[in-house]
């Protein structure tokens, strides 16, 4: 088995992993990087012979995991199977169109056009949660990942080998999504996991939310405006739920403005796919009806003078409405800008997080006099969450992707020494050869399976949600018939099925024994039978 990151090796962005398993090639995600030079924007797909790919799997709709997919299918010519969930298939084309339109506005070239996006996703095959899908000799099972609507982890199996790819996941439930979940003890040969926040250990999420809401309330009471740059598909719903909860508790009436467009489409999808939501969402008749939220244009916000919270995208202030609003609100000390997540280096959001007070934008210098608050409200698992998932899955090897190089160097010894699992953190284009145990597929009857000796599961951390046996020991007669093996019970019927007969072997042996030893031997045998044989 071989794992090669074509992107997201020792960095965040352009996630794309080539998995070679049992002679098959599977591409896991195909994303782009933002705020980087063009030559580092796309995965290193030149290293792949597209005609030899057996399967492409998309874990979720974020740009850094899905943004290069139309380039792979419509430009490079991949026309094989493509797997993703229903929410991903519905939402990803919208995200990609907005990304492409943003590049057009910046007069930047793109490697595919709007028509290619539709053509790409029309061929996708959708997979349900915990559904096992067969694609030729490859089996794929999807598991709930949290993170964003429709995100999944996938277990890929072929030729007796298995690999678990996490994509992005979170182990702490949100207001609108649940935490990631896996069955106990999958024991894959390799686990390929994200490490975006692998050195972070977060405190109470609810406490952080309360502190954020208090700072927002303080700014509003002083007459300021609050800008929250967020990913409009998913995180805007989460922030609205947090603010509405605090508004009800504190009896506030300030408006919450959400910029029109993607957020309105997101409302439709979140209602449509409510079954993917958290327990709070599933238990409510109208989970996304917000009394203080209004969908408005950017111009209306700029023209208004009343205190308000404004949610706008993109999340990293690298263009669009959020950047336009930032230019207008940043020079006023009464205002507050809240960065609720990770911003890539090279983006305006990253400069704001670094408390940069003068930012050059389009030949214009922006003086940042407003308050800036960075809130760790990430939809990625922290160090504790990643470790728990590794313990629960019990893999034989771990490969780290989608994280900073320095962070991986810190986290890798934790996996090796504390979790006692061999671990690797390859760079882009660096192949990791994984030693695997040779295994064969054997057909056994249900009766024989019922008599198997069950091997108990390994000990895992307390956060495990499922339990059950993961292995068993069989005893029987193994028959090979061409390329298949059959296991039969050790009985007359089993022998017959294997084309064998039970044989009885009788033999004689002459020897000289002293009289005393002979008498002792005769004393434990049937004396009459012995004398009869002696007489003959």
């Amino acid at each position: 088995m071989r794992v090669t990151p074509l992107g997201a090796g020792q960095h965040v962005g352009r996630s794309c992993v080539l998995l070679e398993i049992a002679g098959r090639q599977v591409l896991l995600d195909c994303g782009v990087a933002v705020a980087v030079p063009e030559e580092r924007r796309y995965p290193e797909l030149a290293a792949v012979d597209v005609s030899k790919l057996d399967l492409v799997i998309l874990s979720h709709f974020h740009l850094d995991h899905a943004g290069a997919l139309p380039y792979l299918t419509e430009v490079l010519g991949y026309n094989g199977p493509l797997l993703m969930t229903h929410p991903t298939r519905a939402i990803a084309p919208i995200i990609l169109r907005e990304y492409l339109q943003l590049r057009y506005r910046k007069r930047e070239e793109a490697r595919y056009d709007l028509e290619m996006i539709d053509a790409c996703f029309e061929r996708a095959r959708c997979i349900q949660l915990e559904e096992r899908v067969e694609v030729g000799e490859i089996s794929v099972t999807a598991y709930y990942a949290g993170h964003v609507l429709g995100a999944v982890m996938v277990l890929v199996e072929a030729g007796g080998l298995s690999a678990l790819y996490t994509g992005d996941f979170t182990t702490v439930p949100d207001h609108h999504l649940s935490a990631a979940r896996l069955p106990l003890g999958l024991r894959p040969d390799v686990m390929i996991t994200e490490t975006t926040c692998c050195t972070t250990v977060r405190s109470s999420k609810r406490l952080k939310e309360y502190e954020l809401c208090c700072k927002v309330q303080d700014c509003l009471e002083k007459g300021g405006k609050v800008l929250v740059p967020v990913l409009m598909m998913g995180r805007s719903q989460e922030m609205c739920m947090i603010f509405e909860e605090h508004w009800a508790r504190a009896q506030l009436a300030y408006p919450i403005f959400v910029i029109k467009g993607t957020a309105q489409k997101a409302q439709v999808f979140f209602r449509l796919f409510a079954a993917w939501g958290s327990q709070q969402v599933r238990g409510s008749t109208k989970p996304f009806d917000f009394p203080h939220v209004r969908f408005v244009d950017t111009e209306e916000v700029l023209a208004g003078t009343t205190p308000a919270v404004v949610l706008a995208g993109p999340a990293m202030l690298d263009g669009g409405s959020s950047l336009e609003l930032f230019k207008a609100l940043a020079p006023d000390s009464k205002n507050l800008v809240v960065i609720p997540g990770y911003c890539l280096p090279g983006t305006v959001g990253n400069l704001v997080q670094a408390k940069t007070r003068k930012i050059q934008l389009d030949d214009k210098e922006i003086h940042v006099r407003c308050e800036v608050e960075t809130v760790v409200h990430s939809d990625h698992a922290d160090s504790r969450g990643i470790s728990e998932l590794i313990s629960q899955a019990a893999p034989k090897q771990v490969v780290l992707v989608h994280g900073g190089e320095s962070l991986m160097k810190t986290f890798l010894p934790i996996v090796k020494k504390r979790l006692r699992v061999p671990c690797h953190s390859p760079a882009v284009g660096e192949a990791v050869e994984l030693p695997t145990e040779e295994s064969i597929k054997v057909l056994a009857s249900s009766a024989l399976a019922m008599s198997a000796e069950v091997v108990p599961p390994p000990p895992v951390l307390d956060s495990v949600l499922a339990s059950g046996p993961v292995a068993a020991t069989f005893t029987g007669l193994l028959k090979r018939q061409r390329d298949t093996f059959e296991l039969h019970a050790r009985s007359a019927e089993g022998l017959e099925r294997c084309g064998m007969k039970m044989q009885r072997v009788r033999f004689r042996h002459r020897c000289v024994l002293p009289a005393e030893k002979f008498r002792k031997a005769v004393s434990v045998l049937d004396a009459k039978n012995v004398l009869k044989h002696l007489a003959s």
Side-chain angles (χ1 to χ4, degrees):
M1 187 187 300
R2 182 187 295 130
V3 176
T4 309
L6 304 180
Q10 299 179 0
H11 67 264
V12 177
R14 60 170 183 166
S15 285
C16 188
V17 178
L18 178 63
L19 171 67
E20 297 172 82
I21 177 171
R24 302 290 180 266
Q25 293 190 9
V26 181
L27 198 66
L28 303 166
D29 283 336
C30 194
V32 296
V34 297
V36 297
E38 182 64 26
E39 61 270 16
R40 292 193 289 113
R41 190 178 297 270
Y42 285 77
E44 301 297 330
L45 296 173
V48 180
D49 186 345
V50 173
S51 64
K52 293 182 179 179
L53 286 177
D54 295 284
L55 176 63
V56 175
I57 303 173
L58 210 60
S59 65
H60 63 286
F61 60 73
H62 277 166
L63 274 176
D64 60 336
H65 291 258
L69 189 62
Y71 175 67
L72 175 71
T73 60
E74 308 309 308
V75 178
L76 298 184
Y78 173 75
N79 58 4
L82 173 60
L83 283 183
M84 62 187 72
T85 63
H86 286 281
T88 299
R89 186 183 181 185
I91 297 171
I94 298 172
I95 301 294
L96 265 62
R97 285 191 207 103
E98 291 194 345
Y99 164 71
L100 213 57
Q101 288 164 354
L102 180 61
R103 297 208 68 184
Y104 289 158
R105 287 196 294 270
K106 291 182 177 180
R107 297 182 179 179
E108 296 176 347
E109 293 184 4
R111 297 190 186 183
Y112 56 86
D113 57 34
L114 294 171
E115 293 180 358
M116 291 180 181
I117 295 175
D118 294 327
C120 168
F121 286 92
E122 282 176 1
R123 69 178 65 179
R125 175 182 175 183
C126 292
I127 185 172
Q128 302 283 359
L129 280 176
E130 300 186 21
E131 176 189 9
R132 185 184 176 91
V133 173
E134 304 284 343
V135 181
E137 297 181 8
I138 304 170
S139 299
V140 180
T141 308
Y143 297 104
Y144 191 87
H147 187 62
V148 294
L149 185 67
V152 289
M153 300 176 279
V154 290
L155 179 68
V156 181
E157 300 171 277
L161 303 175
S162 61
L164 176 66
Y165 175 64
T166 67
D168 291 347
F169 68 97
T170 178
T171 53
V172 178
D174 286 333
H175 289 264
H176 75 297
L177 291 174
S178 298
R181 51 181 180 263
L182 281 176
L184 172 67
L186 287 176
R187 289 185 175 178
D189 292 286
V190 63
M191 176 175 174
I192 307 166
T193 178
E194 69 134 325
T195 51
T196 311
C197 302
C198 63
T199 59
T200 302
V201 178
R202 299 192 186 101
S203 57
S204 169
K205 191 170 186 177
R206 298 299 182 226
L207 176 61
K208 291 291 184 182
E209 290 172 358
Y210 176 72
E211 291 174 351
L212 166 64
C213 290
C214 288
K215 290 174 182 176
V216 169
Q217 180 179 346
D218 183 60
C219 174
L220 295 172
E221 289 174 346
K222 291 177 180 178
K225 291 182 180 179
V226 180
L227 172 63
V228 187
V230 291
L231 181 70
M232 301 306 287
M233 190 68 73
R235 300 317 295 175
S236 63
Q237 286 72 32
E238 177 74 10
M239 297 307 298
C240 284
M241 294 179 80
I242 292 171
F243 289 140
E244 286 287 2
E245 187 177 291
H246 182 78
W247 262 228
R249 185 170 53 242
Q251 297 183 348
L252 303 179
Y254 299 106
I256 301 171
F257 295 141
V258 179
I259 302 302
K260 287 180 179 178
T262 305
Q264 290 170 295
K265 297 173 185 176
Q267 293 285 76
V268 174
F269 289 123
F270 271 82
R271 291 189 179 106
L272 179 62
F273 298 112
W276 285 76
S278 63
Q279 186 175 356
Q280 178 182 346
V281 169
R282 297 193 305 272
S284 174
T285 55
K286 296 181 179 180
F288 299 109
D289 285 356
F290 306 122
H292 298 92
V293 170
R294 283 181 52 204
F295 293 97
V296 299
D297 295 318
T298 306
E299 292 73 18
E300 184 175 345
V301 176
L302 294 173
T305 57
T306 58
V309 175
V310 187
L311 304 184
M316 301 185 192
L317 294 171
D318 53 337
S321 300
S322 62
L323 182 59
E324 189 177 347
L325 289 165
F326 173 76
K327 292 176 183 178
L329 300 180
D332 192 337
S333 60
K334 289 190 303 182
N335 298 328
L336 169 66
V337 175
V338 177
I339 308 292
Y342 176 78
C343 291
L344 288 168
T347 61
V348 177
N350 185 265
L351 295 175
V352 175
Q353 280 184 320
K355 307 290 186 179
T356 305
R357 288 302 173 184
K358 293 181 181 180
I359 299 176
Q360 193 72 29
L361 294 173
D362 300 329
D363 298 327
K364 182 181 179 182
E365 190 174 64
I366 304 297
H367 292 266
V368 184
R369 299 187 183 93
C370 66
E371 289 188 60
V372 175
E373 189 68 36
T374 297
V375 180
V376 182
H377 197 275
S378 177
D379 48 10
H380 294 270
D382 65 359
S383 178
R384 184 188 295 115
I386 299 170
S387 299
E388 286 181 356
L389 198 74
I390 293 173
S391 296
Q392 182 176 339
K396 297 174 184 176
Q397 304 264 343
V398 171
V399 174
L400 308 180
V401 296
H402 200 280
E405 182 179 2
S406 60
L407 304 185
M408 287 185 179
K409 285 181 179 178
T410 302
F411 187 66
L412 189 141
I414 295 174
V415 179
K416 284 185 174 180
K417 296 178 181 179
R418 187 179 301 173
L419 302 181
R420 297 180 182 179
V421 181
C423 187
H424 315 270
S425 58
V428 173
E430 180 184 348
V432 178
E433 296 282 352
L434 301 170
T436 55
E437 297 177 358
E438 187 175 355
S439 60
I440 57 174
K441 186 177 181 180
V442 178
L443 304 177
S445 66
S446 56
L448 188 63
M450 292 295 291
S451 64
E453 181 182 349
V454 174
V455 178
V460 293
L461 301 181
D462 295 337
S463 63
V464 173
L465 302 177
S467 62
V470 295
T473 301
F474 294 85
T475 303
L477 303 169
L478 190 63
K479 175 188 176 183
R480 180 172 183 173
Q481 190 169 357
R482 294 183 180 179
D483 295 332
T484 61
F485 289 84
E486 298 176 359
L487 188 65
H488 300 282
R490 286 171 37 173
S491 62
E493 183 183 355
L495 286 167
E496 184 178 349
R497 289 181 177 275
C498 292
M500 297 185 291
K501 294 182 180 180
M502 187 174 291
Q503 304 290 336
R504 179 174 295 176
V505 179
R506 181 181 293 176
F507 65 92
R508 293 181 180 181
H509 180 65
R510 291 180 180 274
C511 63
V512 179
L513 291 175
E516 186 179 348
K517 290 186 177 180
F518 177 73
R519 292 190 188 96
K520 287 182 179 179
V522 171
S523 66
V524 297
L525 299 173
D526 185 346
K528 292 183 179 179
N529 196 30
V530 172
L531 292 174
K532 182 179 177 182
H533 282 286
L534 289 174
S536 62

